[in-house]
């Protein structure tokens, strides 16, 4: 059975929610959106040649664009805003120098099994004073991607990825694997610009609840 992922039907509701949450917060948190891969590192390659580095950059740019439409925008920084390769340690340095309150790394998944699908959310294996917040955000994202866009939840996982390890301990760190470029349905969904907008909204909305 083909599962249909949703994209634009809830946009207006979501933007409205963003306005409400935005108005509630007095001081804006500093958010780092870590845009995975870039330059010669394409990340995963999808069925039709679409590259993970481009898909996540589109999503990140949409997050910025949506944020700029809010009455009280968050302070959001991207680790890259073009097709360039940034080292993992430079991504960490940016978060530290800005004293970021939250670090969210954007990726897309790939598997040899073309049936694999859904959203995976990773938090650092090593615990810290921010572990609770990271885990809360991770479950919130899983639930919202499922509820709003129809993505399957593959669970919240604990990992020792370098980017999680190095940014951990000073802020909550979460890595999002936003669907499988190796799955026919999700690859088609992720190739559609309107879906990038929908995914960007879920990411932004959850950050605003934090
Ligand atoms: Zn990746």
């Amino acid at each position: 059975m083909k599962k249909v992922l949703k994209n634009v039907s809830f946009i207006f509701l979501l933007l409205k929610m963003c306005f409400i949450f935005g108005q509630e917060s007095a001081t804006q948190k500093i958010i780092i959106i870590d845009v995975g891969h870039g330059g010669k590192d394409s990340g995963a390659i999808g069925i039709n040649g679409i590259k993970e580095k481009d898909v996540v950059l589109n999503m990140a740019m949409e997050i910025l664009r949506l944020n700029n439409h809010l009455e009280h925008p968050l302070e959001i920084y991207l680790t890259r805003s073009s097709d360039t390769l940034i080292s993992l340690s430079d991504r960490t340095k940016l978060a530290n120098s800005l004293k970021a309150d939250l670090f969210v790394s954007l990726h897309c998944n790939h598997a040899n099994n073309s049936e694999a699908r859904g959203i995976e959310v990773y938090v650092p294996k090593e615990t810290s004073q921010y572990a609770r917040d990271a885990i809360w955000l991770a479950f919130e994202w899983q639930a919202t991607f499922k509820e709003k866009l129809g993505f399957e939840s593959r669970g919240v996982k604990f990992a020792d990825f370098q980017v999680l390890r190095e940014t951990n301990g000073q802020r909550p760190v979460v890595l999002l694997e936003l669907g499988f470029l190796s799955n026919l349905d999700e690859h088609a969904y992720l190739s559609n610009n309107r879906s990038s907008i929908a995914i960007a909204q879920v990411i932004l909305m959850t950050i605003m609840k934090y």
Side-chain angles (χ1 to χ4, degrees):
M1 189 187 77
K2 187 172 157 54
K3 264 198 80 176
V4 181
L5 294 165
K6 297 173 233 171
N7 52 30
V8 286
S9 56
F10 72 104
I11 280 177
F12 296 108
L13 175 68
L14 214 52
L15 275 176
K16 215 168 142 190
M17 286 182 74
C18 287
F19 279 117
I20 295 164
F21 286 119
Q23 282 161 3
E24 277 174 358
S25 44
T27 51
Q28 298 295 25
K29 291 190 171 76
I30 297 173
I31 314 294
I32 304 283
I33 301 289
D34 176 40
V35 188
H37 310 281
K40 66 179 181 186
D41 173 14
S42 298
I45 310 280
I47 297 164
N48 69 349
I50 192 171
K51 293 169 182 159
E52 179 184 356
K53 66 172 183 177
D54 298 325
V55 175
V56 291
L57 181 58
N58 276 345
M59 292 170 185
M61 297 308 280
E62 285 301 338
I63 292 171
L64 275 193
R65 200 181 58 80
L66 290 166
N67 184 53
N68 288 336
H69 279 89
L70 299 178
E71 199 166 334
H72 302 284
L74 297 173
E75 204 172 332
I76 296 180
Y77 298 90
L78 307 185
T79 51
R80 66 178 179 93
S81 54
S82 61
D83 184 17
T84 46
L85 182 62
I86 314 280
S87 72
L88 290 181
S89 63
D90 281 344
R91 294 168 196 255
T92 309
K93 276 181 205 156
L94 179 72
N96 290 340
S97 63
L98 290 171
K99 296 188 167 45
D101 296 297
L102 175 63
F103 186 95
V104 186
S105 193
L106 307 186
H107 290 263
C108 294
N109 233 326
H110 192 279
N112 290 333
N113 175 7
S114 63
E115 297 294 310
R117 62 188 304 144
I119 302 279
E120 263 172 6
V121 185
Y122 288 91
V123 295
K125 197 173 177 184
E126 184 123 340
T127 193
S128 79
Q129 58 176 310
Y130 301 102
R132 274 178 72 126
D133 286 1
I135 293 166
W136 181 85
L137 278 160
F139 278 100
E140 194 65 27
W141 264 311
Q142 283 282 10
T144 314
F145 275 114
K146 186 173 187 174
E147 184 198 336
K148 300 294 183 191
L149 301 185
F151 272 103
E152 262 175 41
S153 296
R154 297 176 64 87
V156 173
K157 300 178 179 181
F158 296 83
D160 193 32
F161 301 147
Q162 190 186 343
V163 72
L164 290 175
R165 189 172 59 238
E166 289 188 356
T167 44
N168 191 28
Q170 296 171 71
R171 63 195 59 82
V173 182
V174 182
L175 185 144
L176 298 168
E177 290 279 4
L178 299 155
F180 281 77
L181 291 172
S182 46
N183 176 274
L184 210 56
D185 295 340
E186 292 191 350
H187 145 269
Y189 182 80
L190 293 167
S191 305
N192 179 343
N193 197 45
R194 290 166 85 190
S195 312
S196 301
I197 299 171
I199 289 173
Q201 285 173 341
V202 170
I203 294 170
L204 186 61
M205 186 177 82
T206 304
I207 292 172
M208 299 189 86
K209 284 194 227 167
Y210 166 58

